Amino acid sequence: QNPAAAPAKKAAPQKQAAAKPKKPHASQSVRVDIEKLDTLMNLVGELVINKVRLEQIGQTHRLSELTETLEQMDRVTTDLQSVVMKVRMVPVSSVFNRFPRMVRDVAKELNKEINLTIEGEETELDRTVIDEIGDPLMHLLRNSLDHGVEHPDEREAKGKPRTGEIGLIARHEGNNVVIMVTDDGAGINADKIRNKAIEKGMISQEEAEALEDAAAVRLIFLPGFSTAEKITDISGRGVGMDVVRSKIEALGGHVDVETKIDKGSIFKIKL
């Protein structure tokens, strides 16, 4: 019985060794409630405050031993703060990935030929921002699809390629993350925006005439503003750009637009 048991014992470690490589795949990430991360962040904040208080006590009483320990504590709390911040960060690809299909479907509905280019999807944002950024980006993409990029025949008449280009780009600029929705469409006509704003009673004739083109174009962010002649599922309801602006501002960000006639537009979100 014993000799038979011995080989069995030897065989067991081999089985474990074969199964080992699979283990990391099962536990690469853990789903954590955002409230728990907030609590962790607050606790780290309190730790930093108490560390500063201890430093003051050490300096007042000239306790060299305490000062040495605090230097180590300083390194640990700094690293801990950094790790907690990184834990909250999520790549924007989790939001960007839902748009290629939407762009394809809307382009088909509008009988337009569109090529969507995505850049910087590995750029990371705080989880709370990621949860909120999807709707504004969807509005901006729909706007570029409907108002920005022209129909293939119209593009051809202007000497442009029949396929319109829309870009969804994320990148770091200093401490900010910038997300841009670009198109090579018709651009935004400042006079058309002025006339629509006057027609809807949003500004007076005098105010409209006093506005520079760049400022006139920004009127599209006013609540209820729309240049669509008829209401469709895609546009004309006047709930597009003001929703974008209010959502981005609620996240502590800023949205702006640059445009050139027949060259296209760039909507820039800075967070």
Side-chain angles (χ1 to χ4, degrees):
Q1 213 174 358
N2 281 351
K9 271 184 186 171
K10 273 184 187 172
Q14 286 180 339
K15 268 187 183 176
Q16 278 183 332
K20 249 184 184 176
K22 285 185 182 177
K23 239 182 178 180
H25 290 288
S27 59
Q28 267 185 331
S29 62
V30 180
R31 288 178 75 87
V32 180
D33 189 335
I34 196 82
E35 284 182 16
K36 286 181 182 172
L37 290 179
D38 286 341
T39 306
L40 186 59
M41 193 72 183
N42 292 337
L43 289 169
V44 171
E46 285 183 36
L47 199 60
V48 171
I49 291 164
N50 285 308
K51 182 208 71 179
V52 173
R53 180 79 186 102
L54 281 169
E55 281 173 351
Q56 288 170 342
I57 292 167
Q59 284 169 357
T60 306
H61 297 283
R62 297 196 175 114
L63 303 169
S64 58
E65 286 175 10
L66 181 63
T67 307
E68 284 168 25
T69 311
L70 280 169
E71 280 173 10
Q72 285 180 310
M73 193 179 167
D74 188 28
R75 279 195 296 273
V76 172
T77 48
T78 304
D79 290 348
L80 190 57
Q81 213 168 6
S82 172
V83 168
V84 173
M85 290 294 281
K86 283 174 185 167
V87 164
R88 291 177 57 94
M89 303 301 266
V90 181
V92 291
S93 57
S94 59
V95 178
F96 283 12
N97 289 346
R98 70 174 89 152
F99 294 126
R101 183 173 180 167
M102 185 212 86
V103 168
R104 204 165 54 241
D105 291 347
V106 174
K108 198 175 175 184
E109 200 179 320
L110 294 167
N111 295 317
K112 291 181 179 180
E113 294 169 22
I114 307 284
N115 179 44
L116 174 68
T117 305
I118 292 176
E119 289 175 32
E121 54 195 321
E122 70 288 339
T123 307
E124 291 188 327
L125 274 172
D126 190 279
R127 178 62 200 266
T128 47
V129 177
I130 287 284
D131 289 343
E132 298 292 328
I133 199 77
D135 279 354
L137 287 177
M138 186 175 71
H139 279 302
L140 290 176
L141 284 166
R142 281 172 169 254
N143 182 72
S144 289
L145 284 158
D146 193 22
H147 298 293
V149 177
E150 313 93 330
H151 279 279
D153 295 344
E154 201 182 321
R155 288 178 66 83
E156 207 166 40
K158 289 179 180 178
K160 290 181 173 183
R162 286 180 68 83
T163 302
E165 295 287 339
I166 288 181
L168 184 55
I169 302 154
R171 64 165 182 246
H172 286 282
E173 277 186 12
N175 289 332
N176 300 313
V177 168
V178 171
I179 300 177
M180 291 185 287
V181 175
T182 68
D183 67 68
D184 68 343
I188 303 168
N189 186 318
D191 289 333
K192 190 179 174 186
I193 302 296
R194 283 190 188 94
N195 294 338
K196 271 285 175 186
I198 295 163
E199 186 188 309
K200 287 178 177 281
M202 290 174 169
I203 56 170
S204 67
Q205 183 81 40
E206 292 76 27
E207 285 172 324
E209 284 168 8
L211 283 177
E212 288 181 14
D213 283 0
V217 166
R218 289 190 190 101
L219 295 172
I220 60 172
F221 292 110
L222 290 176
F225 189 90
S226 176
T227 57
E229 299 304 326
K230 59 176 189 270
I231 295 171
T232 66
D233 287 344
I234 296 162
S235 66
R237 291 160 295 163
V239 290
M241 290 303 168
D242 66 305
V243 168
V244 171
R245 191 183 68 174
S246 56
K247 276 232 173 186
I248 297 303
E249 286 177 357
L251 293 168
H254 174 69
V255 61
D256 203 5
V257 58
E258 294 170 28
T259 188
K260 281 185 182 166
I261 298 296
D262 287 337
K263 297 284 184 199
S265 304
I266 301 171
F267 285 90
K268 196 173 187 180
I269 295 170
K270 194 177 267 194
L271 297 160

